Amino acid sequence: EAGVAQSPRYKIIEKRQSVAFWCNPISGHATLYWYQQILGQGPKLLIQFQNNGVVDDSQLPKDRFSAERLKGVDSTLKIQPAKLEDSAVYLCASSLGWDPKNYGYTFGSGTRLTVV
Amino acid sequence: QKEVEQDPGPLSVPEGAIVSLNCTYSNSAFQYFMWYRQYSRKGPELLMYTYSSGNKEDGRFTAQVDKSSKYISLFIRDSQPSDSATYLCAMSRGAGNMLTFGGGTRLMVKP
């Protein structure tokens, strides 16, 4: 089974620039998540999709962050304009949803963003 | 105060030692408890999942949940250098709900 694919792996931008990250979840996984992981901290949920609908975006800084999941498969996360404190690893994860045997997400390797 | 607290370590042990990793939490609504392992520059991978209180064993790994104390543990027996990683506890209120992570404990197993 192919894993969760993310690109790019690394990105360095200047503050106030914009950036976009891409995620391709595991085939058949209806639920997709974007997490932000700041160095030395645990991941924090930014947004959760169920198919192409938003389930939870309460922690997404909507003045600068946006995300979409067209056709319920791939997803993009955008930051515009970026701030220094956005430097982090952005993790995409997908899951089948509620399945006692398979509960838990599969994470991608993440995109490491550095804002200078 | 964070909802989920985890000692950041680093925790350094000799190969073959028993490792104990712990998390405390404040939200009594959490029902599902997980442990993830994260190698450097990789995404977290699920190790153990437990629903409500009790113990669960899988090979060298044992997860314990004590909801009355709001305390969860992960034990690693016969630790190996390949176990060197950051261990993240995570929990959620219900199936399909968002996961709330601890900050992670960095473990180093020395040969």
Side-chain angles (χ1 to χ4, degrees):
Chain A
E1 173 181 78
V4 176
Q6 288 189 249
S7 67
R9 285 299 310 274
Y10 306 93
K11 191 75 176 178
I12 301 175
I13 62 172
E14 296 183 350
K15 59 183 178 183
R16 291 187 290 274
Q17 285 187 324
S18 62
V19 65
F21 313 126
W22 174 82
C23 172
N24 179 239
I26 291 173
S27 178
H29 281 195
T31 311
L32 184 147
Y33 315 80
W34 283 101
Y35 277 80
Q36 179 193 58
Q37 187 174 23
I38 293 172
L39 185 65
Q41 299 182 19
K44 184 186 81 170
L45 180 72
L46 291 175
I47 189 167
Q48 176 183 347
F49 291 95
Q50 181 73 20
N51 296 308
N52 61 348
V54 175
V55 174
D56 186 347
D57 64 356
S58 57
Q59 299 186 87
L60 186 74
K62 297 180 185 64
D63 58 333
R64 298 184 301 107
F65 286 65
S66 64
E68 61 181 6
R69 190 183 185 196
L70 299 177
K71 301 180 180 178
V73 182
D74 293 5
S75 178
T76 56
L77 176 69
K78 296 179 182 178
I79 307 175
Q80 182 180 9
K83 293 185 176 181
L84 296 177
E85 59 261 36
D86 297 332
S87 294
V89 176
Y90 290 85
L91 294 163
C92 179
S94 69
S95 73
L96 287 167
W98 174 236
D99 179 344
K101 297 179 182 177
N102 294 293
Y103 191 81
Y105 309 168
T106 300
F107 281 89
S109 293
T111 295
R112 185 176 297 271
L113 173 68
T114 302
V115 182
V116 299
Chain B
Q1 183 186 6
K2 294 180 181 178
E3 273 192 299
V4 181
E5 298 278 1
Q6 192 174 3
D7 188 328
L11 178 62
S12 182
V13 302
E15 182 175 355
I18 296 175
V19 176
S20 173
L21 303 166
N22 311 293
C23 285
T24 59
Y25 63 95
S26 57
N27 191 337
S28 59
F30 288 136
Q31 295 286 335
Y32 298 89
F33 304 90
M34 282 138 279
W35 286 94
Y36 283 82
R37 178 174 62 195
Q38 186 173 27
Y39 291 114
S40 180
R41 301 189 181 276
K42 295 289 186 182
E45 57 177 325
L46 181 66
L47 276 178
M48 301 284 287
Y49 139 69
T50 308
Y51 170 70
S52 193
S53 287
N55 294 358
K56 188 172 184 178
E57 186 174 322
D58 184 1
R60 296 186 295 113
F61 299 91
T62 300
Q64 290 184 350
V65 175
D66 182 350
K67 290 187 68 181
S68 62
S69 302
K70 297 189 180 68
Y71 188 87
I72 71 171
S73 301
L74 177 70
F75 298 95
I76 307 174
R77 292 183 297 280
D78 187 25
S79 57
Q80 302 295 310
S82 58
D83 294 328
S84 298
T86 296
Y87 289 80
L88 297 155
C89 63
M91 44 200 81
S92 71
R93 283 182 277 269
N97 291 144
M98 59 171 276
L99 291 182
T100 301
F101 283 85
T105 299
R106 186 177 165 210
L107 172 66
M108 295 184 293
V109 181
K110 297 185 176 181

